[in-house]
C-alpha cells in the first residue's frame, strides 16, 4: 500500500520491517517503489540463501531506519523537536553510501535519480534515507500528516489541491469514518455510548 506520496513515508508506513523483517517483503517494497528494477529484484531475492549475513545486516539496518523515521515523522506532525540521535540512522546510511545523481528521462519528464556505487548492500536504503532527509529539510513545505483515524498510524504527504487531506486513504479510513458517523446519526443510543 503506497499512499504516503513520498518514498520515505511509504517506507515508514510499511508493515514489512517491524517485528521480524522479511527479505522478500523488503525486496517487493523496493520493486513497488521503483528503487530497484524487477530484474534487479529477482537477482536480490535469493540473497538470504547465498549470503545470509549480508541480507540480515541490511534488514536490521532497515528496521533501525524505520524505527527512527517513525519517531522523526511523529515529532514533525506533532510539531515537536526532532532529537539528534533519531537522525543518526539516516545520516549513517547517507554517510556510507557513495554515489551520484544522474538525470533520467522517465514517463515524459526529467528526474534526478541517485545512482549508488555498487558494493555493499546499504545502497538499497540510500534513496529512502535521502527521501527522509529531504522531508525533514523541507519542513512545513513537505506537508507531512498523520491519518486522522487515531487507530491507523499511517503518515502521508498532503499534496491535495485543497491541502485538507485528512485520511491516509478514503477507502481505508475515510469511508470507515463516514460510515461510523452515519451509524451514529441513525442510532441515537449509540451516540451516548
Ligand atoms: Zn488511515
Amino acid at each position: 500500500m503506497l499512499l504516503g506520496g513520498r518514498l520515505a513515508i511509504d517506507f515508514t508506513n510499511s508493515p514489512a520491517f517491524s517485528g521480524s523483517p522479511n527479505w522478500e517483503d523488503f525486496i517487493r517494497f523496493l520493486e513497488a517503489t521503483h528503487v530497484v528494477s524487477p530484474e534487479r529484484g529477482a537477482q536480490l531475492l535469493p540473497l538470504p540463501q547465498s549470503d545470509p549475513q549480508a541480507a540480515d545486516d541490511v534488514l536490521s539496518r532497515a528496521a533501525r531506519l524505520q524505527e527512527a523515521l517513525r519517531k522523526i515523522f511523529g515529532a514533525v506532525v506533532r510539531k515537536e523537536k526532532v532529537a539528534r540521535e533519531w537522525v543518526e540512522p539516516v545520516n549513517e546510511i547517507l554517510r556510507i553510501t557513495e554515489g551520484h545523481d544522474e538525470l533520467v528521462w522517465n514517463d515524459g519528464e526529467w528526474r534526478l535519480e541517485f545512482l549508488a556505487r555498487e558494493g555493499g548492500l546499504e545502497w538499497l536504503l540510500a534513496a529512502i534515507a535521502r527521501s527522509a532527509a529531504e522531508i525533514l529539510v523541507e519542513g512545513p513545505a513537505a506537508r507531512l500528516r498523520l491519518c486522522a483515524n487515531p487507530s491507523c498510524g499511517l503518515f502521508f504527504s498532503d499534496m491535495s489541491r485543497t491541502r485538507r487531506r485528512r485520511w491516509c486513504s478514503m477507502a481505508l479510513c475515510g469511508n470507515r469514518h463516514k460510515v461510523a458517523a452515519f451509524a451514529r446519526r441513525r442510532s441515537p443510543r449509540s451516540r451516548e455510548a
Side-chain angles (χ1 to χ4, degrees):
M1 273 183 320
L2 305 172
L3 36 82
R6 303 279 290 263
L7 175 60
I9 301 176
D10 285 327
F11 174 78
T12 306
N13 288 341
S14 169
F17 309 101
S18 18
S20 51
N22 171 300
W23 181 255
E24 194 179 332
D25 290 346
F26 177 50
I27 299 303
R28 297 281 176 240
F29 173 83
L30 296 178
E31 279 179 21
T33 50
H34 307 292
V35 173
V36 300
S37 66
E39 296 76 33
R40 193 77 175 99
Q43 289 167 4
L44 285 162
L45 269 180
L47 189 78
Q49 284 84 55
S50 58
D51 193 346
Q53 189 59 51
D56 263 12
D57 285 351
V58 182
L59 273 185
S60 55
R61 211 182 268 280
R64 267 208 308 284
L65 179 64
Q66 193 193 47
E67 200 191 329
L69 292 184
R70 284 221 171 104
K71 288 181 189 160
I72 292 171
F73 290 167
V76 168
V77 296
R78 290 191 302 270
K79 299 188 170 60
E80 292 169 7
K81 204 166 159 266
V82 172
R84 270 166 200 264
E85 64 261 32
W86 300 343
V87 167
E88 192 43 41
V90 181
N91 274 342
E92 204 178 281
I93 294 160
L94 293 176
R95 201 176 296 134
I96 57 180
T97 322
E98 288 182 72
H100 62 277
D101 285 326
E102 216 166 83
L103 282 164
V104 182
W105 180 251
N106 183 280
D107 270 348
E109 57 181 16
W110 287 105
R111 279 185 26 205
L112 206 51
E113 207 170 273
F114 178 77
L115 293 185
R117 213 183 62 160
E118 304 281 322
L121 284 167
E122 288 82 9
W123 65 271
L124 289 171
L125 295 168
I128 297 165
R130 194 185 160 92
S131 161
E134 283 169 359
I135 290 167
L136 196 53
V137 168
E138 283 168 33
R143 299 188 176 278
L144 184 67
R145 306 280 183 265
L146 186 64
C147 178
N149 174 0
S151 60
C152 172
L154 295 184
F155 294 97
F156 59 88
S157 167
D158 180 10
M159 286 302 153
S160 66
R161 210 166 39 84
T162 56
R163 306 280 155 89
R164 292 172 72 180
R165 178 174 160 192
R166 293 181 63 205
W167 315 103
C168 61
S169 91
M170 211 51 212
L172 279 176
C173 289
N175 283 337
R176 207 174 289 165
H177 173 82
K178 269 195 197 159
V179 168
F182 181 74
R184 273 198 303 276
R185 279 197 302 274
R186 290 286 298 260
S187 146
R189 249 182 309 168
S190 69
R191 205 179 292 163
E192 282 143 38

